[in-house]
Amino acid sequence: MKLPSFWGKVVIGLSIAAVVGWVWFAFLSDSESPHDGTNATHVHVKTTKNGVESDSSAGKVIWTCSMHPQIQLPQPGKCPICFMDLIKLEIDNSSAVADSYRQINLGSDARKLAQIEVTPVNRQSASTSLRMVGKVEYDESLVGTISAWTAGRIDKMYISKTGSIVRKGQPMAAIYSPELYAAQAELIQAERAKYKLTPQSSSLLRTSIEDNISAAKEKLRLLGLTKMQVEAVLKQKNPSKEIVIRAPQAGIVIKKEVVEGAYVKTGQPIYAIADLSKVWVVLEAYETDLPWIHKGDDVEFTIEAFPGDQFKGRVVYIDTMVKQKTRTVDVRLEVRNPQEKLKPGMFVQAVQTMKLAGADDPQKTFLVIPASAPLITGKRAVVYVELPENEGTYEGREIVLGPRSGNYYIVKSGLKENERVVSKGAFKLDSALQIMAKPSMMSGSSSTAHSTNVGESLKAPQLFISKLSFLQTDFDALALALRQKDNATVQSLFKKIGQKISSIDDSMLEGESKRTWKEHGMLLTNDCVLGSEAETYKRQHEIFTSAKFNYEALRAAFGIEKVATSLTPAMDVPFTFKKQLGHVLTAYIEISEALSKDDMEAARKGASRVISALTTVSRNGLSKQAISFWGKQEQKILQNITALQEESDIATMREKFFAISKEFLSLTERVGIALPGELYEVYCPMAFGNKGAIWLQQDEDIRNPYFGKSMLKCGEVKRQLPVE
């Protein structure tokens, strides 16, 4: 029987996997229902003999293909891709309350049958034992070649065998060359002419003879003679028929290219000499071990010839190419060999405990998960996390893995300490999600941002929307840095964007808003981690494309384009004017800090700085509309800041401060302010007899200026404001 082709085997393998996944999913679906209040996606799979079974309480009925779960049709039939019979799939209405597109629930019986096991995410030191083999080679930088600097005949070879040990300056061969003979004659004749000079000889003649001598010496030097040999020629009365070639360095003769009596051309090699006081050891390392190997690392190794001896070398080079057959990379060690025990060609074995870069501090630990937990395909790694608040509920996450450390993987992004990941049975959960056409190991991320009506934006707090909107500035800067191929700036901006995403509070999101944010926010965070480490332009551009896609999906889902206009200053004013307003606002923040500490004297000093900063604000370059607006705002600020400065009652001070805060908020919205860092609008609903009041500060840690120490943390951050 003819065996199936490679692609035939692949199709058969995928078919078996899909059938197993489908059978498993059917098993899951018949498991016990989740407990009341469980936020989970639960799917029922039913089969009938007589066609479509109707159950209005169960939820939406679709027909799908076990091989192609992305096919979802309202009626039974054939799969348009593989023409298999479609299978009925009934989605529970409770799926709407799941917090993630990748969420699934298992009953207790299903968990037992699936043998689901979970393991906490721990912190531990990062090290691993690497086993590498290789061999000793010559240090190419210490291999010298003796070549013929001029054409001629080899009359005598003083070293006739390879393997001979030579010292520096030792005679190696005698060569007869007509060109060398003529050059010697020129030097001797020029030197004789020098001795024929008399006191009456002209200076021009003296100079000419000296030039001839210098030229003849240089010619001999270029033909390979040493300075000592040139001086010896000067002492001779007649040119020598042979010139002795000497060893340029000490070492071992590893090649002898010619034989005695042979004619050689200019540049033809005669000997190669290797200095074995230092050698190379070239080891083969698996590509998966490369994250643990760094230039400058010390590596210990042994050789069979000296079983009791330990040798040590330093990593000086890691090859840039992976060998296709062995999937290994050459790692070169530089090894001192004063006793010349190490001979080129000897086999080497290295067993080395290596530490991850940055793990030199014994106190530093890394997040790790069992090697069995992640499902890895291509560049993606998916894990399933047990949600403690909902028994039997698991959530899929894409994470960024670091190198493998023994039986563990280091986690760079996507998990927190003490979370519990599925270490056994993850593939079964993933198979179930594949059948449901949800994001999984094979199907990738969700292709749609949300499932609300066309044109309808998801709901989210103002702070969430504003923070999401202002990320556009960072993406624009990142695109510019990529065009300029500014590697350091690209990495820095990826890191900055990742930090901003991590600071976004999603606790107020629910339903589709939360699912959309968790999906694309997760992928965007991973992109930023990878981008902050990417070193090549190609890789940075690939990651930027992925990050931009996920950011645009979020912008579209939450209707960022609609609110962007409200976050953009209405008036166009010079940047210098905005920067001067920034100095005024900095002094204003000093008043806020003073009032939050109930410090009236410090508040007065802050008021003085506001007044001083206002005098530096120039109206040059402002339009008539901007001058008119600024004039009114400046008058109100001065009036209230002067009153605040003169007040002796802190309650009245706080009333004036509220009036000033409203004017600064208006300035920020209408003309914009240039300020290092960020700026937030904060609101206290209980201020002034529950009437409420706002103020501005540069971070999200609430320090209430209206209540001070009595209710320092009263308030909420409403939104992030635009600054330049």
Side-chain angles (χ1 to χ4, degrees):
M1 183 177 69
K2 186 177 180 181
L3 293 174
S5 65
F6 169 77
W7 288 110
K9 294 178 181 177
V10 171
V11 171
I12 292 172
L14 290 175
S15 302
I16 293 172
V19 171
V20 170
W22 178 256
V23 172
W24 161 246
F25 181 65
F27 154 72
L28 286 183
S29 304
D30 289 333
S31 302
E32 66 179 48
S33 300
H35 297 289
D36 293 340
T38 299
N39 295 335
T41 300
H42 193 70
V43 180
H44 301 276
V45 179
K46 300 180 181 179
T47 57
T48 60
K49 295 182 179 179
N50 301 321
V52 179
E53 179 180 343
S54 176
D55 184 359
S56 60
S57 64
K60 180 182 177 182
V61 174
I62 60 171
W63 294 79
T64 187
C65 174
S66 59
M67 280 292 293
H68 303 94
Q70 69 270 28
I71 301 299
Q72 298 184 4
L73 300 177
Q75 300 294 334
K78 302 284 186 181
C79 172
I81 299 176
C82 65
F83 304 105
M84 291 177 61
D85 289 335
L86 296 180
I87 299 174
K88 183 182 177 186
L89 187 68
E90 187 172 307
I91 302 178
D92 196 340
N93 287 326
S94 64
S95 64
V97 298
D99 286 338
S100 169
Y101 292 129
R102 303 169 184 251
Q103 192 167 308
I104 189 170
N105 178 269
L106 273 68
S108 59
D109 291 340
R111 293 197 298 276
K112 292 176 183 177
L113 291 172
Q115 297 179 317
I116 297 292
E117 294 182 7
V118 294
T119 305
V121 180
N122 293 323
R123 283 192 171 274
Q124 65 181 44
S125 59
S127 63
T128 189
S129 292
L130 302 184
R131 293 181 177 272
M132 297 178 283
V133 296
K135 62 180 181 179
V136 179
E137 295 184 1
Y138 299 110
D139 185 338
E140 293 176 2
S141 65
L142 299 179
V143 176
T145 300
I146 300 176
S147 58
W149 288 39
T150 181
R153 183 184 68 245
I154 303 295
D155 280 351
K156 178 69 175 177
M157 298 197 76
Y158 297 106
I159 303 298
S160 58
K161 300 176 182 178
T162 57
S164 299
I165 300 175
V166 298
R167 64 183 183 277
K168 184 177 181 179
Q170 180 177 336
M172 300 293 293
I175 184 170
Y176 167 74
S177 168
E179 188 176 0
L180 270 172
Y181 185 86
Q184 291 178 75
E186 289 178 15
L187 178 59
I188 293 171
Q189 290 296 330
E191 187 68 17
R192 286 175 181 172
K194 178 180 177 182
Y195 287 109
K196 292 180 181 180
L197 292 172
T198 65
Q200 289 76 31
S201 299
S202 67
S203 60
L204 181 62
L205 180 59
R206 291 177 182 276
T207 303
S208 178
I209 292 174
E210 291 292 340
D211 290 344
N212 288 339
I213 293 173
S214 297
K217 287 181 178 181
E218 182 64 15
K219 186 174 182 179
L220 287 171
R221 190 189 66 80
L222 293 174
L223 290 173
L225 270 64
T226 65
K227 185 177 180 180
M228 187 179 297
Q229 287 175 312
V230 172
E231 294 299 326
V233 170
L234 286 172
K235 296 176 181 178
Q236 298 171 178
K237 294 182 179 180
N238 296 308
S240 174
K241 294 182 179 180
E242 295 178 345
I243 293 296
V244 176
I245 300 175
R246 299 180 181 275
Q249 66 180 47
I252 296 176
V253 176
I254 58 174
K255 285 184 182 179
K256 185 172 74 74
E257 304 283 359
V258 298
V259 295
E260 196 172 286
Y263 279 85
V264 293
K265 298 178 181 179
T266 302
Q268 182 175 340
I270 301 174
Y271 292 102
I273 302 174
D275 182 356
L276 295 183
S277 63
K278 192 166 62 174
V279 295
W280 286 347
V281 170
V282 179
L283 301 171
E284 291 189 351
Y286 288 108
E287 57 181 316
T288 53
D289 293 334
L290 287 180
W292 299 95
I293 304 171
H294 318 96
K295 287 184 181 179
D297 285 348
D298 288 329
V299 178
E300 293 184 348
F301 60 90
T302 59
I303 55 176
E304 293 184 1
F306 305 99
D309 292 351
Q310 285 280 347
F311 299 88
K312 182 184 290 187
R314 176 161 293 185
V315 178
V316 294
Y317 177 73
I318 301 172
D319 203 351
T320 56
M321 298 293 292
V322 176
K323 296 177 182 178
Q324 295 301 311
K325 291 184 178 180
T326 60
R327 306 307 301 171
T328 58
V329 176
D330 284 345
V331 177
R332 185 193 303 160
L333 309 182
E334 194 174 80
V335 185
R336 295 191 178 278
N337 188 31
Q339 298 177 351
E340 297 186 357
K341 284 186 175 182
L342 301 177
K343 312 293 184 185
M346 282 183 167
F347 284 103
V348 169
Q349 290 185 340
V351 180
Q352 182 75 3
T353 299
M354 309 290 282
K355 291 184 178 181
L356 192 65
D360 294 332
D361 182 0
Q363 302 299 320
K364 187 170 184 179
T365 56
F366 298 83
L367 285 179
V368 297
I369 58 175
S372 60
L375 304 175
I376 303 174
T377 172
K379 298 177 181 178
R380 301 168 56 239
V382 177
V383 296
Y384 285 86
V385 181
E386 182 183 58
L387 301 182
E389 64 274 13
N390 299 321
E391 185 180 1
T393 303
Y394 304 90
E395 178 184 89
R397 290 188 202 165
E398 285 195 25
I399 63 174
V400 179
L401 288 179
R404 182 164 176 166
S405 176
N407 295 324
Y408 296 90
Y409 273 109
I410 292 172
V411 179
K412 292 184 177 180
S413 172
L415 292 172
K416 297 178 182 178
E417 188 176 4
N418 296 325
E419 286 188 311
R420 297 166 65 85
V421 296
V422 176
S423 53
K424 183 178 179 181
F427 185 76
K428 297 172 183 177
L429 297 176
D430 196 82
S431 299
L433 285 177
Q434 288 181 46
I435 295 297
M436 297 159 60
K438 295 289 186 180
S440 63
M441 177 183 69
M442 298 302 295
S443 61
S445 61
S446 177
S447 59
T448 56
H450 63 98
S451 58
T452 54
N453 297 329
V454 176
E456 182 180 345
S457 300
L458 297 176
K459 295 180 180 179
Q462 271 189 306
L463 179 61
F464 178 92
I465 294 295
S466 60
K467 282 193 169 188
L468 201 57
S469 175
F470 293 138
L471 284 176
Q472 183 63 55
T473 303
D474 296 306
F475 271 98
D476 292 341
L478 182 54
L480 177 62
L482 276 170
R483 289 195 296 271
Q484 296 174 342
K485 296 187 178 181
D486 186 345
N487 182 67
T489 302
V490 169
Q491 292 180 330
S492 176
L493 284 169
F494 267 121
K495 185 175 181 179
K496 180 181 178 182
I497 294 171
Q499 290 171 342
K500 288 187 175 182
I501 294 168
S502 299
S503 72
I504 295 178
D505 182 12
D506 63 351
S507 60
M508 299 299 291
L509 298 179
E510 57 185 20
E512 190 68 16
S513 296
K514 190 158 193 173
R515 287 190 288 273
T516 300
W517 166 249
K518 289 189 77 170
E519 180 69 17
H520 291 288
M522 169 187 69
L523 299 176
L524 187 52
T525 300
N526 292 345
D527 289 334
C528 290
V529 172
L530 294 171
S532 66
E533 298 175 348
E535 296 181 351
T536 65
Y537 173 77
K538 180 181 178 182
R539 180 64 178 143
Q540 289 173 343
H541 194 272
E542 289 175 352
I543 297 170
F544 173 76
T545 302
S546 174
K548 188 68 173 175
F549 168 80
N550 287 303
Y551 179 59
E552 291 299 334
L554 289 170
R555 286 180 64 89
F558 289 97
I560 299 300
E561 296 298 337
K562 298 177 183 177
V563 301
T565 304
S566 64
L567 295 172
T568 303
M571 294 185 187
D572 186 17
V573 298
F575 179 76
T576 303
F577 179 74
K578 297 180 181 182
K579 192 173 182 180
Q580 291 166 349
L581 288 184
H583 296 318
V584 181
L585 185 59
T586 300
Y588 155 87
I589 291 174
E590 290 183 28
I591 303 175
S592 177
E593 294 294 328
L595 292 176
S596 70
K597 299 174 183 177
D598 301 325
D599 190 340
M600 295 175 63
E601 187 58 33
R604 292 191 185 95
K605 290 180 181 178
S608 296
R609 292 191 182 94
V610 170
I611 295 171
S612 177
L614 283 171
T615 61
T616 65
V617 179
S618 172
R619 303 188 183 192
N620 293 336
L622 296 181
S623 64
K624 290 183 179 179
Q625 181 187 12
I627 290 174
S628 175
F629 174 72
W630 168 239
K632 294 176 182 178
Q633 298 300 110
E634 183 182 28
Q635 184 179 1
K636 292 177 182 177
I637 292 172
L638 272 172
Q639 180 181 347
N640 286 289
I641 203 72
T642 303
L644 183 149
Q645 191 178 27
E646 296 173 352
E647 283 295 338
S648 58
D649 176 36
I650 195 169
T652 311
M653 270 188 171
R654 284 167 170 157
E655 290 178 4
K656 300 300 179 184
F657 177 76
F658 175 41
I660 298 168
S661 297
K662 290 189 290 185
E663 303 308 327
F664 272 111
L665 178 60
S666 180
L667 280 170
T668 304
E669 294 174 332
R670 296 291 299 278
V671 300
I673 291 179
L675 193 70
E678 298 169 347
L679 187 64
Y680 297 93
E681 177 189 350
V682 191
Y683 176 70
C684 173
M686 299 180 66
F688 307 119
N690 295 328
K691 291 180 180 179
I694 62 98
W695 75 95
L696 309 182
Q697 62 181 49
Q698 286 198 269
D699 62 305
E700 296 182 67
D701 182 22
I702 294 173
R703 297 178 297 280
N704 193 315
Y706 301 116
F707 286 102
K709 296 178 181 178
S710 62
M711 295 177 62
L712 183 63
K713 298 299 179 182
C714 178
E716 62 173 325
V717 181
K718 293 196 65 174
R719 57 173 172 158
Q720 186 177 349
L721 297 170
V723 294
E724 295 184 26

